[in-house]
Amino acid sequence: MQRVAADPIDVLRSRTSAKWRSFPADVLPLPVAEMDYPLAEPIAEALHAAIRRSDTGYHSGSRHVADAFQGFAARRLGWDVDPAHVTCTADVSMGIVEVLRQVTSPGDGVVITPPIYPPFFDLVTEAGGRVVEVPMRGGIDDGWGLDLDGIEAAFASGAGAMVLCNPHNPLGWVPDRTTLEQLAEIAASFGATVVSDEVHGPLAQPESPYTPFLTVSDAAREIGVTVTSASKSFNIPGLKAALMLTASERGDRVRTGFPYEVEWRMAQFGAIASIAAFQEGGPWLDGVLASLDDNRRLLADLLADELPGVRYRMPQATYLAWLDLSALGWGDDPAAYALEHAKVALHRGPAFGASVGRGHARLNFACSPEVLSEAVTRLAKAASPAVE
């Protein structure tokens, strides 16, 4: 498999995105979920062609993106998507908020599963809901899973919806079909809605295939709404395009209830790039997956050699590593220590849930092996005075 190589560090530091503008030049920035790989050529060419023809007006609706995703989903994900059941918007977070506004009333409980992508806490409240935390079960040693009993108890206590992260950010855990079937049955028994964020789905490694929630059962199709995008898999989050998918009359009522402007928030360049990604980006994505596989294994080796006290379980998907740095004695927020003493920027663990994130941090390994190695070396040097 031909790997996709990361851009050189001098090229990366010329980028103006959040990852490369949020820290001084002597810091290795590994917190933000952006990849260091060059843009897939079909996407770049599609965008260049749009510029050449001055195609910078409003996008022409959801259908063209939905049609492209239909082919991608069938080829890569084993998912039969009906483009007529797709509405686009600007990004996954916006889609989650709009779905929650349709399926909950102000003050309703919404289940999330810490440690979890930090914006989930804010998305629930933005939609008018109340966060109900049901932490993940298990851990680094034995692996993770949903606390289905806890989720059922939350629904029984009145929570009206759940935001599922499939695959899970920051754990890189991929729920299996049986787990998703059980979740769907529990939600259906209470009439609750499962909003499934599946933006990292195409980044699952081959030995841990991702299962789209809407494919697992009639119950899932009845109570589920999936929100996804090409943004993470193809590194185009700044171009703003996402898809909201349903597979039942109930789900369609959610989509048709959106305010008119929800669909028109998708950007023209986001639509153009997404179509190119879904139609022609497969070989590039295969190369990225191979590079990420190399790096997740390299990280395990580097930690074992240089920071054996740090606990890490190789993710099944995504390019994000959840690290338990507690043994280093760097406090509840070890990312702060790492930034000050190692000049390595990590994502703060407590932001993923105060009860489960203390002593942890998230690291983005979608970078070159050299950058990853340098980051671990810096962390190890910073740890040496603190570890006997």
Side-chain angles (χ1 to χ4, degrees), residues 142-169:
D142 301 321
W144 289 277
L146 294 176
D147 180 357
L148 294 172
D149 292 336
I151 293 169
E152 182 172 15
F155 288 149
S157 296
M162 172 181 174
V163 183
L164 172 69
C165 201
N166 171 29
H168 193 282
N169 171 10

Side-chain angles (χ1 to χ4, degrees), residues 174-258:
V174 180
D176 60 26
R177 177 175 291 272
T178 298
T179 297
L180 296 175
E181 289 174 347
Q182 292 171 340
L183 174 62
E185 291 294 333
I186 292 169
S189 70
F190 291 96
T193 301
V194 175
V195 187
S196 189
D197 174 354
E198 302 189 358
V199 70
H200 289 283
L203 291 171
Q205 291 292 338
E207 79 278 5
S208 306
Y210 138 77
T211 302
F213 183 72
L214 293 178
T215 69
V216 302
S217 67
D218 288 340
R221 286 181 281 277
E222 177 66 19
I223 54 86
V225 180
T226 291
V227 190
T228 192
S229 173
S231 60
K232 294 305 181 191
S233 299
F234 293 95
N235 205 36
I236 53 173
L239 298 182
K240 296 300 179 184
L243 304 88
M244 297 171 286
L245 302 94
T246 55
S248 67
E249 291 184 6
R250 170 179 163 162
D252 287 344
R253 287 194 295 272
V254 173
R255 290 187 306 101
T256 57
F258 293 145

Side-chain angles (χ1 to χ4, degrees), residues 14-255:
S14 71
R15 292 184 181 181
T16 62
S17 61
K19 180 176 181 179
W20 294 98
R21 283 291 176 92
S22 298
F23 303 96
D26 61 346
V27 171
L28 291 179
L30 303 178
V32 181
E34 300 175 19
M35 294 193 280
D36 291 353
Y37 306 119
L39 197 61
E41 186 56 37
I43 299 175
E45 177 51 36
L47 294 170
H48 285 303
I51 291 291
R52 288 193 294 270
R53 62 177 181 264
S54 299
D55 194 2
T56 56
Y58 296 109
H59 73 81
S60 57
S62 298
R63 188 57 187 249
H64 298 299
V65 177
D67 285 342
F69 184 74
Q70 178 189 39
F72 178 83
R75 289 189 306 273
R76 295 193 69 100
L77 310 175
W79 185 4
D80 183 14
V81 170
D82 183 348
H85 295 266
V86 177
T87 299
C88 290
T89 193
D91 58 38
V92 168
S93 291
M94 187 177 294
I96 291 170
V97 169
E98 294 300 339
V99 173
L100 289 176
R101 284 175 172 158
Q102 294 297 312
V103 303
T104 61
S105 298
D108 281 356
V110 178
V111 174
I112 61 173
T113 56
I116 196 67
Y117 178 55
F120 276 17
F121 294 90
D122 294 330
L123 300 181
V124 170
T125 56
E126 182 181 345
R130 172 176 50 84
V131 171
V132 178
E133 297 186 34
V134 181
M136 295 289 288
R137 302 181 75 168
I140 287 174
D141 293 334
D142 301 321
W144 289 277
L146 294 176
D147 180 357
L148 294 172
D149 292 336
I151 293 169
E152 182 172 15
F155 288 149
S157 296
M162 172 181 174
V163 183
L164 172 69
C165 201
N166 171 29
H168 193 282
N169 171 10
L171 304 180
W173 171 73
V174 180
D176 60 26
R177 177 175 291 272
T178 298
T179 297
L180 296 175
E181 289 174 347
Q182 292 171 340
L183 174 62
E185 291 294 333
I186 292 169
S189 70
F190 291 96
T193 301
V194 175
V195 187
S196 189
D197 174 354
E198 302 189 358
V199 70
H200 289 283
L203 291 171
Q205 291 292 338
E207 79 278 5
S208 306
Y210 138 77
T211 302
F213 183 72
L214 293 178
T215 69
V216 302
S217 67
D218 288 340
R221 286 181 281 277
E222 177 66 19
I223 54 86
V225 180
T226 291
V227 190
T228 192
S229 173
S231 60
K232 294 305 181 191
S233 299
F234 293 95
N235 205 36
I236 53 173
L239 298 182
K240 296 300 179 184
L243 304 88
M244 297 171 286
L245 302 94
T246 55
S248 67
E249 291 184 6
R250 170 179 163 162
D252 287 344
R253 287 194 295 272
V254 173
R255 290 187 306 101

Side-chain angles (χ1 to χ4, degrees), residues 11-12 55 68 73 115 117 119 177 188 204 207 253 259 297 311 328 341 382:
V11 172
L12 294 170
D55 194 2
Y117 178 55
R177 177 175 291 272
E207 79 278 5
R253 287 194 295 272
R297 297 176 190 278
R311 299 169 67 238
L328 301 182
H341 297 278

